[in-house]
Amino acid sequence: MTVPAAAKLPVVVIGAGPIGLAAAAHLIDQDIEPLVLEAGPAAGAAVREWSHVRLFSPWGEVTDPAAEKLLAPTGWVRPEAAAYPSGGDWAEQYLKPLADVLGDRVRYGAAVTGVSRAGRDRIVDADRQMQPFVVHISLADGGEERVFARAVIDASGTWALPGPAGGSGLAALGEKAAVDRITYRVPDLKDPAVRARYAGKRTAVIGSGASAFTALAYLADLAKSGDGNGAKAVWILRRGISGSTFGGGAADQLPARGALGLAAKAAVDEGHADAVTGFRTEAIERGSDGRLTLVAEDGRRLDPVDEVIVLTGFRPDLTFLSEIRLGLDERLQVPVALAPLIDPNQHSCGTVYPHGHRELSHPEHGIYLVGMKSYGRAPTFLAMTGYEQVRSVAAAIAGDTEAADRVELTLPETGVCGGAGLFDTPDGQQTDGGGCCAAPEPQLIQFAAPATTQGPAQEGPAGGGCCGS
């Protein structure tokens, strides 16, 4: 194997989503050649899968400065800064033009299956840091390839690995067998076929973050429509309900994010959804009529439902990094230095301190997990955070330590955070303050006297705002 000199090699960026393409733009700004490897057929492939969902961050907060600089010569003009794009808008009006400018630097249908040091497996120490990275790729036509890199920026996100319904972090008993009636994404109820699936049906929504809020708001809209036919939601929370359950509300510095929580509250207040708290799903049983019964770890059984929407967060795929020496927090699966800064037990989106290459570094010099991937199981990610990450990382790779260490970001405060049961406190210690904490006293809750709220605002599951479960 002839290994080229590292200095002449590109930096491989895994993923052509918002953060991966921004990383490429920042590398170019540092006179470093990027090679972006995207498993999907187009830029923003994951974003396109939730194209129907509206971000709660406006255009002014979901485009990257280096990317805009790259786009400027093409005549591209950022949409109105105060407007809120959908996932489809984000992909078509920003990610696609950016990928087009990058041209052959972006390869589609190129799924990364492994990353290592050339000629060195995980065990070997000798001259390890002197070797370039080798990246193995599976191509859309079935072929395989390898490329060498001076550094690797993994911006592949977490979209491919949604969390399960089971309260222990594992799939509930019977969950896999019931997959025909379960979805792990916010359904597009504007699609007639999808709409028919939920109209007139009783649907369980499992989760407590932005995606769950969006699903509840969508189902409430369906229930109120002429073709809703009595659609009803059952909101399953693993924890209790407190003052922070619905996010920052009117105090949120991202108003649409606050409105999203208020829309979810309205769905419960108006009787379109029942909230069941302290319910950790152990089993999903299918009846003779095909309907599903959710069974909790404490033995409680809910009335049968027709459909289940599981929105319990996402997880990073670390399998293709098995030959790389990563330093990851044992709970969140994030870089060790980053973990205390984003711990959802302590932080919402806006209380996460801006961070860069130092917090994202690993024992294996030259590899960085960025964007949603860097947050592991934490749901508090904002696109602005990812753009700051890759600006710092690109500067570090270029050797500009001063720029890499500089903080160039201020985040909005409060807002939604959520997760897969990460916020439990011992019984009797419920709190309305801090991070999103409440101890679940199992109960069925129907709020009375609906308050006047803003119209529903939605948020994409993976990028423009705080991505809850």
Side-chain angles (χ1 to χ4, degrees):
M1 176 174 63
T2 302
V3 180
K8 298 180 180 179
L9 295 172
V11 171
V12 163
V13 178
I14 305 174
I19 310 306
L21 294 177
H26 281 281
L27 289 167
I28 291 171
D29 201 44
Q30 294 285 350
D31 294 322
I32 298 173
E33 191 65 18
L35 173 60
V36 182
L37 302 175
E38 168 57 49
V47 174
R48 292 173 187 277
E49 292 192 28
W50 48 271
S51 61
H52 58 291
V53 179
R54 190 166 301 281
L55 282 71
F56 52 59
S57 293
W59 272 112
E61 295 174 359
V62 297
T63 59
D64 174 79
E68 291 192 29
K69 179 180 175 181
L70 205 59
L71 284 163
T74 70
W76 181 87
V77 177
R78 184 181 66 190
E80 171 59 41
Y84 294 88
S86 67
D89 296 335
W90 204 16
E92 281 299 313
Q93 298 179 40
Y94 171 63
L95 300 180
K96 183 181 183 299
L98 179 54
D100 289 345
V101 169
L102 291 168
D104 292 342
R105 294 182 176 103
V106 183
R107 293 184 59 185
Y108 301 107
V112 173
T113 58
V115 180
S116 187
R117 290 282 186 179
R120 306 289 187 274
D121 63 20
R122 186 188 185 100
I123 300 173
V124 177
D125 289 331
D127 297 325
R128 184 177 189 85
Q129 302 296 339
M130 303 298 294
Q131 305 304 314
F133 290 95
V134 59
V135 181
H136 282 222
I137 306 168
S138 176
L139 304 176
D141 63 5
E144 293 181 299
E145 191 177 324
R146 70 182 178 197
V147 297
F148 295 99
R150 61 186 286 189
V152 175
I153 299 176
D154 182 357
S156 58
T158 57
W159 180 252
L161 290 179
S168 299
L170 303 173
L173 300 178
E175 181 173 347
K176 295 178 182 178
V179 71
D180 60 315
R181 296 208 174 200
I182 300 175
T183 183
Y184 297 86
R185 307 287 191 268
V186 176
D188 181 3
L189 296 185
K190 293 181 181 178
D191 181 318
V194 176
R195 193 173 183 85
R197 175 175 175 175
Y198 295 95
K201 302 296 176 61
R202 178 178 165 87
T203 300
V205 178
I206 304 177
S208 59
S211 295
F213 290 175
T214 302
L216 289 169
Y218 281 4
L219 290 170
D221 285 345
L222 175 62
K224 291 182 283 188
S225 69
D227 61 346
N229 300 323
K232 180 81 171 185
V234 182
W235 185 21
I236 311 299
L237 296 99
R238 295 170 179 172
R239 51 192 171 98
I241 288 182
S242 71
S244 59
T245 296
F246 297 99
D252 199 317
Q253 289 187 19
L254 289 177
R257 182 172 63 187
L260 176 60
L262 294 176
K265 184 176 185 300
V268 180
D269 287 345
E270 295 169 3
H272 302 301
D274 294 332
V276 181
T277 64
F279 192 97
R280 293 180 173 276
T281 307
E282 181 177 78
I284 298 177
E285 300 176 353
R286 187 190 292 268
S288 58
D289 59 356
R291 303 183 81 200
L292 304 177
T293 297
L294 275 61
V295 183
E297 293 175 352
D298 61 11
R300 283 180 297 155
R301 303 171 66 88
L302 299 183
D303 291 338
V305 297
D306 302 285
E307 299 285 344
V308 179
I309 302 173
V310 180
L311 300 168
T312 57
F314 295 87
R315 301 171 176 186
D317 180 4
L318 302 170
T319 57
F320 62 84
L321 300 174
S322 62
E323 295 305 314
I324 293 296
R325 297 176 179 179
L326 299 177
L328 298 175
D329 177 75
E330 61 186 11
R331 294 178 305 143
L332 299 181
Q333 296 179 299
V334 305
V336 171
L338 180 60
L341 302 182
I342 66 172
D343 184 347
N345 292 289
Q346 304 295 329
H347 295 283
S348 71
C349 304
T351 63
V352 173
Y353 186 79
H355 51 274
H357 73 110
R358 295 193 185 277
E359 292 83 3
L360 298 170
S361 64
H362 294 276
E364 192 83 66
H365 179 72
I367 188 162
Y368 300 92
L369 277 58
V370 300
M372 282 295 297
K373 184 73 169 277
S374 73
Y375 269 48
R377 298 194 182 202
T380 48
F381 180 76
L382 286 168
M384 292 183 292
T385 303
Y387 296 151
E388 172 67 3
Q389 287 180 340
V390 295
R391 182 204 62 78
S392 173
V393 165
I397 292 172
D400 187 349
T401 304
E402 180 182 354
D405 288 340
R406 189 166 56 241
V407 174
E408 298 184 1
L409 175 65
T410 301
L411 292 171
E413 295 178 357
T414 70
V416 177
C417 62
L422 295 176
F423 311 100
D424 298 335
T425 55
D427 288 346
Q429 296 183 22
Q430 291 192 359
T431 175
D432 289 349
C436 293
C437 304
E441 269 308 319
Q443 55 188 306
L444 171 66
I445 297 179
Q446 285 183 295
F447 293 98
T452 302
T453 65
Q454 303 175 47
Q458 304 91 39
E459 173 51 23
C466 186
C467 302
S469 56

